[in-house]
Amino acid sequence: MEGDLGRLYQRWSHTLTQALAHLEAFIDFGEDEEVEEEVLRQVAVTVRALERDIRAHLRDGRRGELLRGGVRAVIAGPPNVGKSSLLNLL
């Protein structure tokens, strides 16, 4: 996962992590005036753009091979933090 592809996947990972953080902030503090519903709109825009990037990447026969073939991943963490929910969503 080094080189151009590694940097690309790290950027995608960073984008998803930021989107998740914004969603969690909205869930936790959505009733406060400081966290507006604009956050949800911006997250949706960001995730849709990321989806387009990934789809374009997959259409590129050589570059999308790793994603199409799959990767091994571990979902680890303390009990009751949403590991199963994440796996079910994926």
Side-chain angles (χ1 to χ4, degrees), residues 65-84:
E65 184 176 340
L66 181 58
L67 285 180
R68 279 192 302 277
V71 295
R72 290 183 182 234
V74 174
I75 301 174
N80 298 319
V81 295
K83 296 182 301 289
S84 296

Side-chain angles (χ1 to χ4, degrees), residues 27-61:
I27 290 168
D28 290 343
F29 307 109
E31 295 175 358
D32 296 343
E33 293 179 14
E34 296 177 17
V35 181
E36 301 175 0
E37 291 205 21
E38 175 66 19
V39 170
L40 290 179
R41 189 189 69 72
Q42 185 57 42
V43 167
V45 167
T46 299
V47 171
R48 284 188 195 109
L50 180 60
E51 180 184 15
R52 284 190 301 274
D53 287 349
I54 292 171
R55 287 185 189 279
H57 184 76
L58 289 172
R59 282 192 297 273
D60 180 354

